[in-house]
C-alpha cells in the first residue's frame, strides 16, 4: 500500500523563544557509520541523526557485514570488518531518499570483488548517478543502470582496482567522497582535484580513523585531496555535531518572527558548511556565536539568533558548495527582506531530492512573492514585509522544501500549508515538536 500523506499547516506564530538542539549532522552521521564499518575493532557514535536516511545507511552496513547496534544510552556501537573486508549483501540495498548514502556507498563497494544492487524511493530513483559511476568506472568497477545512469543499479566491483587522479567537473562532496572511499581499497594514491572547495567531512573523519589523507592547494587555487590505499583504520569515538543545514530552519524562523530570540546548541561550524550564516549576517541578521569548541575533530558552537530586519544581497556562485542545501530556506528569508536578493550558480539545485530550483520558485510565487530566474540565478524581490502566504505547497518528497515553507507560514500574512511532510523525518525527526516547543503553530491540515 502507498504511504499515507501527512499534510501540515503553519500559522502566524507568537515570538519564538528558548533553547533547542537540532538533530545530528546528516553528512557526518552517514560517514561515521561507513567508516566505523571499515575500521578494525569497536567504534562508538554519539549524537547520530536517527532520521530515515541515516537508518538506511545503518541497515546497509549491516548487510555488508558490519555489526551495528543502538545502545541503551542512545549511542551507537559498530564492530567493523577492516578495509577490503566488506561482504556481498544477500539482498539489494534500499537507500530510501538518501543521495549521500547511495553515492558514497557506491564508492565503498566499487573496489570490492562482488556485485551490489542499489535502489531507493521515487525521488532517489530519479537522481543522476553518472557523476559517480564515471570516475568509479575508471577505477575498474562496472555499472548497470537505468537510462540516464539512474537507479535501480548494479555495481560490479573490481578485483583489480586502479588508482586515478580525477578533477571534478562539478563541485560535489558526494562524488569526491565516493572516489576517496573507493581509493581506500586501491593500491597507491587516489587523488581528487576540486576547483571549488566542498565540505570536507570525509577527509577529517578518515584522518580521525587513521587514514593517510593529504590536502594541498595548487597554484591556481584548486584543492588536491589524496588518499593512500590499504590503511588500517582503527575503531574510534565520533561525536556528531548538530546539523547546520537543519539549524537553518529554526534560525530563519527566529529571524522573521518579530520579537524572537532562540539559542541553537552545539551547531557544526565547519567553515565549508556555514555559507548560509555568512549570507544572513550580510543581510543584517543578528546571529551571535557563543562557546566555540572542537568536538570529534569538528568546529562546534552555540548560536543565539534574534529577529532582525533583513535586506537583499547578492550571493556569489562560489558560495554555493558551502550552502547548497540551504537555498530554499534562504529564499524564504529573502522574501521577508527589503530589496532584491540574487542567488547565483544554483545549477546543482536542479538535481537534489527534487528540482529544488523550480520547487522553490513555484512555492514563492504561490505565496505571492515576486521571484524570477535568469539561467541558474534565482532572484527574489522582497518588500521588507511579510509575504502574503495563503498557499498549499506540493513538496514532492523533498524535506527541505516542506520545512522551508512551514517556516514561511510562521510569519506570512496568511497560513502556509504543505501537502505532505512525511519526508521531513529523513533529516529532521521531531521538527514539528521542536518548532512548536519554541512557539510556532504547526498542525495537521
Amino acid at each position: 500500500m502507498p504511504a499515507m500523506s501527512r499534510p501540515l499547516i503553519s500559522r502566524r506564530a507568537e515570538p519564538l523563544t528558548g533553547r533547542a538542539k537540532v538533530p545530528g549532522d546528516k553528512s557526518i552521521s552517514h560517514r561515521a557509520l561507513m567508516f566505523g564499518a571499515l575500521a578494525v575493532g569497536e567504534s562508538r557514535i554519539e549524537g547520530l541523526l536517527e532520521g530515515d536516511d541515516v537508518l538506511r545507511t545503518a541497515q546497509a552496513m549491516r548487510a555488508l557485514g558490519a555489526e551495528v547496534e543502538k545502545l541503551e544510552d542512545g549511542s551507537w556501537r559498530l564492530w567493523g570488518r577492516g578495509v577490503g573486508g566488506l561482504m556481498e549483501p544477500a539482498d539489494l540495498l534500499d537507500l530510501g531518499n538518501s543521495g549521500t548514502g547511495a553515492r558514497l556507498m557506491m564508492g565503498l563497494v566499487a573496489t570490492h570483488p562482488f556485485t551490489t544492487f542499489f535502489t531507493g524511493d521515487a525521488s532517489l530513483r530519479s537522481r543522476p548517478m553518472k557523476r559517480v559511476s564515471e570516475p568509479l568506472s575508471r577505477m575498474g568497477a562496472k555499472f548497470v543502470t537505468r537510462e540516464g545512469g539512474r537507479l535501480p543499479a548494479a555495481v560490479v566491483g573490481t578485483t583489480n582496482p586502479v588508482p586515478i587522479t580525477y578533477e571534478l567537473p562539478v563541485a560535489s562532496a558526494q562524488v569526491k567522497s565516493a572516489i576517496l572511499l573507493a581509493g581506500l581499497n586501491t593500491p597507491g594514491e587516489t587523488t581528487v582535484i576540486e576547483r571549488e572547495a566542498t565540505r570536507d567531512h570525509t577527509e577529517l573523519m578518515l584522518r580521525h580513523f587513521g587514514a593517510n589523507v593529504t590536502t594541498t592547494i595548487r597554484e591556481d587555487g584548486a584543492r588536491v585531496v589524496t588518499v593512500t590505499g590499504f590503511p588500517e583504520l582503527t575503531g574510534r569515538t565520533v561525536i556528531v555535531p548538530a546539523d547546520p543545514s537543519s539549524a537553518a530552519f529554526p534560525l530563519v524562523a527566529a529571524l522573521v518572527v518579530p520579537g524572537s530570540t532562540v539559542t541553537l546548541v552545539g551547531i557544526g561550524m565547519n567553515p565549508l558548511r556555514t555559507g548560509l550564516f555568512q549570507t544572513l549576517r550580510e543581510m543584517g541578521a543578528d546571529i551571535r556565536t557563543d562557546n566555540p569548541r572542537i568536538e570529534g575533530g569538528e568546529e562546534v558552537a552555540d548560536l543565539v539568533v534574534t529577529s532582525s530586519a533583513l535586506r537583499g544581497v547578492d550571493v556569489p556562485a562560489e558560495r554555493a558548495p558551502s550552502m547548497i542545501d540551504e537555498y530554499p530556506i534562504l529564499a524564504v528569508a529573502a522574501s521577508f527582506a527589503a530589496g532584491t536578493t540574487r542567488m547565483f550558480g544554483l545549477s546543482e539545485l536542479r538535481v537534489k531530492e527534487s528540482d529544488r530550483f523550480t520547487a522553490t520558485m513555484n512555492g514563492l510565487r504561490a505565496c505571492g512573492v515576486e521571484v524570477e530566474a535568469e539561467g541558474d540565478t534565482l532572484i527574489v524581490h522582497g518588500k521588507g514585509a511579510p509575504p502574503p502566504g495563503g498557499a498549499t505547497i506540493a513538496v514532492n518528497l523533498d524535506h527541505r522544501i516542506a520545512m522551508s515553507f512551514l517556516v514561511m507560514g510562521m510569519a506570512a500574512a496568511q497560513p502556509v500549508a504543505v501537502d505532505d511532510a512525511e519526508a521531513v523525518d529523513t533529516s529532521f525527526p521531531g521538527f514539528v515538536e521542536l518548532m512548536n516547543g519554541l512557539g510556532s503553530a504547526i498542525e495537521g491540515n
Side-chain angles (χ1 to χ4, degrees):
M1 293 180 60
M4 296 290 290
S5 64
R6 185 185 166 203
L8 293 175
I9 189 166
S10 179
R11 307 180 190 280
R12 286 186 73 105
E14 297 298 319
L16 305 179
T17 59
R19 292 170 63 87
K21 185 172 179 62
V22 303
D25 188 285
K26 186 149 70 92
S27 296
I28 294 174
S29 293
H30 281 301
R31 287 161 173 82
L33 288 167
M34 293 182 194
F35 300 171
L38 293 176
V40 174
E42 182 179 284
S43 293
R44 292 288 186 103
I45 308 173
E46 299 178 14
L48 186 83
L49 168 63
E50 295 183 14
D52 185 67
D53 278 13
V54 174
L55 296 179
R56 299 271 185 159
T57 292
Q59 185 57 37
M61 300 325 296
R62 291 188 187 103
L64 289 162
E67 294 181 27
V68 184
E69 64 176 334
K70 183 178 179 180
L71 303 178
E72 290 184 1
D73 65 0
S75 66
W76 287 69
R77 171 191 170 276
L78 287 89
W79 195 265
R81 299 189 58 86
V83 170
L86 298 180
M87 297 168 46
E88 183 172 64
D91 202 347
L92 54 75
L93 303 183
D94 185 344
L95 278 303
N97 190 244
S98 179
T100 300
R103 292 187 176 119
L104 268 62
M105 216 163 297
M106 286 181 172
L108 273 185
V109 302
T111 51
H112 282 73
F114 52 72
T115 298
T116 310
F117 296 89
F118 289 86
T119 191
D121 67 10
S123 170
L124 186 60
R125 294 196 307 272
S126 72
R127 297 171 69 180
M129 297 293 163
K130 275 189 175 179
R131 58 179 59 184
V132 174
S133 62
E134 197 277 330
L136 295 178
S137 295
R138 295 189 191 184
M139 300 180 76
K142 293 184 172 60
F143 290 78
V144 181
T145 68
R146 290 170 57 224
E147 183 179 359
R150 301 179 194 278
L151 300 184
V155 181
V156 183
T158 176
T159 56
N160 295 297
V162 177
I164 61 171
T165 296
Y166 187 78
E167 185 160 335
L168 295 177
V170 177
S172 171
Q174 292 177 359
V175 178
K176 173 179 65 175
S177 298
I179 297 167
L180 295 175
L181 294 183
L184 291 174
N185 199 39
T186 299
E189 294 184 339
T190 297
T191 297
V192 180
I193 301 169
E194 52 180 8
R195 293 193 172 275
E196 298 176 75
T198 64
R199 56 184 67 175
D200 61 352
H201 303 306
T202 293
E203 297 96 300
L204 291 173
M205 195 179 297
L206 281 177
R207 293 185 190 114
H208 181 59
F209 276 87
N212 181 9
V213 182
T214 61
T215 301
T216 58
I217 308 298
R218 284 196 322 204
E219 289 185 0
D220 63 359
R223 291 163 62 94
V224 181
V225 184
T226 299
V227 63
T228 302
F230 304 137
E232 181 164 315
L233 304 184
T234 306
R236 291 283 189 266
T237 295
V238 177
I239 300 172
V240 179
D243 195 324
S245 297
S246 295
F249 302 102
L251 188 152
V252 169
L255 291 175
V256 300
V257 175
S260 299
T261 298
V262 169
T263 300
L264 302 173
V265 179
I267 306 301
M269 298 297 289
N270 184 305
L272 297 174
R273 294 287 302 281
T274 55
L276 176 70
F277 306 154
Q278 178 182 351
T279 300
L280 290 171
R281 284 176 171 132
E282 290 171 1
M283 296 174 74
D286 183 349
I287 304 171
R288 190 175 82 244
T289 301
D290 272 1
N291 191 21
R293 55 202 184 271
I294 301 292
E295 292 182 354
E298 291 277 355
E299 298 181 36
V300 173
D302 304 334
L303 297 179
V304 182
V305 187
T306 302
S307 57
S308 306
L310 303 178
R311 57 182 177 271
V313 297
D314 287 352
V315 187
E318 55 266 25
R319 197 174 293 170
S322 70
M323 55 181 296
I324 193 63
D325 288 330
E326 286 81 73
Y327 280 105
I329 190 63
L330 175 62
V332 167
S335 71
F336 288 84
T340 298
T341 297
R342 299 174 182 84
M343 294 162 261
F344 296 91
L346 304 192
S347 59
E348 186 70 7
L349 280 194
R350 299 188 186 276
V351 292
K352 300 297 283 184
E353 281 83 336
S354 66
D355 178 351
R356 279 189 185 150
F357 189 105
T358 300
T360 300
M361 188 164 59
N362 290 345
L364 291 175
R365 282 181 177 152
C367 290
V369 178
E370 185 181 346
V371 58
E372 59 186 306
E374 293 181 359
D376 290 325
T377 301
L378 184 64
I379 304 169
V380 179
H381 301 285
K383 306 298 184 186
T392 296
I393 308 301
V395 303
N396 297 312
L397 298 176
D398 194 312
H399 50 122
R400 300 198 193 279
I401 295 296
M403 289 185 282
S404 295
F405 284 97
L406 290 171
V407 168
M408 175 177 273
M410 296 174 198
Q414 297 296 323
V416 176
V418 298
D419 65 343
D420 185 8
E422 191 65 32
V424 167
D425 286 343
T426 66
S427 70
F428 202 145
F431 169 75
V432 172
E433 293 78 8
L434 183 146
M435 293 307 308
N436 285 349
L438 294 172
S440 71
I442 303 172
E443 59 188 15
N445 187 16

